[in-house]
Amino acid sequence: MGAQEVREGFVRLYGAEPEGVWAAPGRVNLIGEHTDYNDGFVMPFALPHIAVAAVARRTDGVLRLHSADLDSGVAELRLDELTPESDDAWTAYPAGVVWALREAGHAVTGADIHLSSTVPSGAGLSSSAAIEVVVALALNDLYALGLQGWQLARLCQRAENVYVGAPTGIMDQTASACCEAGHALFLDTRDLSQKQIPLDLAAEGLRLLVVDTQVTHAHSGGEYGKRRAGCEKGAALLGVDALRDIAYADLDAALARLGDEEEVSRLVRHVVTEDQRVEQVVALLESGGDTRAVGPVLTAGHASLRDDFRVSCAELDLVVDTALAHGALGARMTGGGFGGSAIVLAEATDVETLTKAVEEAFAAAGHKAPRVFEAVPAAGARRLG
Ligand code: ADP
Ligand code: MG
């Protein structure tokens, strides 16, 4: 849905013009998975899929929320009654952002919000961050809060962690808030320092496909928590603040110290090698050499997530294996895992054959048909009008 449609929807709902319309994108992560809660490196880029919000301020302490994509009507909440983990509906995301802004001392006195999103929900492409960031950016502008993208991202993460109650890292919100068109974002999640890395795959005759498996396995939330706890245990056993502090060169020594802690060792090995893979991809892209060299690094990342971190699933493995068997340069699951999406780096000329092969493999295995689309690095959050 475009800016004009969302603006018109706002007028129909609330009987007045909004003060503006904002957009924030979903993201896909090129490399750096399950590193963002280990203070490590990630490298997402923004998708052209966006959440669009029309917003107007209120002065009476009331927050009204509506999504054009759901049938749940207008929710009306009182700002002084917003309570963490009190809401398990979609409204917790925007309400959580308002709560986090107010908790941080920002004088937000109410808002009317109408939004619509083209980011597929629950596909590992961060529809939740898109909603949080679009609301945060709108309120930042309207209330002249003067916060920068990374600061909005931190507040949105707090909204999701504390208000919604989902223990996610900082990557999704930072990607949505800070990405730039034509670039991937090399982000150090420890201090949020960032670097925009030019990524023009088409210029080299390449394509990056996103394959949304359209499955979410029910246990994903609990498993995510277990991986986080395992990483924290690893850091504690090794006497570091976060696994990011284990240098790649010291990995073998660290694993030796972990002795028979088999599970923790696997988690540590994934995180440390994954940070190394992000640095490798950054070096490859910055060298101006052939981007095809990134492919095997993506595939190695998948093997690590599948065998060491154990967050893949049959559908994701099938995408990766089928794509590689049909000429892909590299492929891996992206996002938290247990379903969601995979990415495939391929020659433009192989895209058709490869897509067909993945679709046929899914049909043969009796899986729901996957959704395949091409991802081109798009702009981060912005005001549309
Ligand atoms: P992901 O961020 O990977 O898409 P999440 O489970 O983190 O998955 O977020 C999905 C949730 O975000 C949905 O369950 C819903 O509450 C909210 N959401 C996503 N898109 C919309 C939308 N268009 N309108 C309202 N809520 C949405
Ligand atoms: Mg999410």
Side-chain angles (χ1 to χ4, degrees), residues 27 93 122-130 132 160 166 168 172-173:
R27 61 97 190 98
Y93 296 97
L125 303 173
S126 267
S127 67
S128 59
E132 291 154 7
E160 188 148 347
T168 57
D172 300 351
Q173 294 85 358

Side-chain angles (χ1 to χ4, degrees), residues 67 69-70 90 93 115 117 120-128 131 160:
S67 167
D69 311 319
L70 304 172
W90 78 277
Y93 296 97
L115 59 80
S117 176
S121 175
L125 303 173
S126 267
S127 67
S128 59
I131 287 179
E160 188 148 347

Side-chain angles (χ1 to χ4, degrees), residues 11-12 15 29 53 67 79 86 94 150 152 168-169 194 218 221 234 237 243 245 247 274 276 293 300 341 350 375 378:
V11 174
R12 271 197 305 279
N29 191 22
S67 167
L79 297 190
S86 62
W150 66 269
L152 294 176
T168 57
Q194 21 181 290
L237 289 171
L243 293 182
D245 295 310
E274 185 77 351
Q276 163 78 0
S341 300
D350 287 339

Side-chain angles (χ1 to χ4, degrees), residues 131-206:
I131 287 179
E132 291 154 7
V133 171
V134 77
V135 167
L137 183 67
L139 297 175
N140 184 50
D141 281 359
L142 290 176
Y143 283 94
L145 304 178
L147 298 168
Q148 295 179 30
W150 66 269
Q151 293 172 300
L152 294 176
R154 278 256 191 257
L155 286 163
C156 290
Q157 186 201 14
R158 192 163 146 72
E160 188 148 347
N161 288 173
V162 182
Y163 195 90
V164 178
T168 57
I170 188 69
M171 168 171 66
D172 300 351
Q173 294 85 358
T174 312
S176 186
C178 302
C179 279
E180 290 179 9
H183 295 78
L185 179 73
F186 174 38
L187 175 70
D188 180 338
T189 63
R190 169 160 277 169
D191 61 5
L192 298 194
S193 59
Q194 21 181 290
K195 194 167 181 189
Q196 303 286 344
I197 311 287
L199 185 64
D200 183 358
L201 297 168
E204 293 181 69
L206 298 175

Side-chain angles (χ1 to χ4, degrees), residues 11 57 76 87 167 227 246 248 307 339 341:
V11 174
R57 281 169 293 180
E76 187 164 328
D87 182 357
R227 299 304 182 284
I246 308 294
Y248 181 67
D307 303 335
S341 300

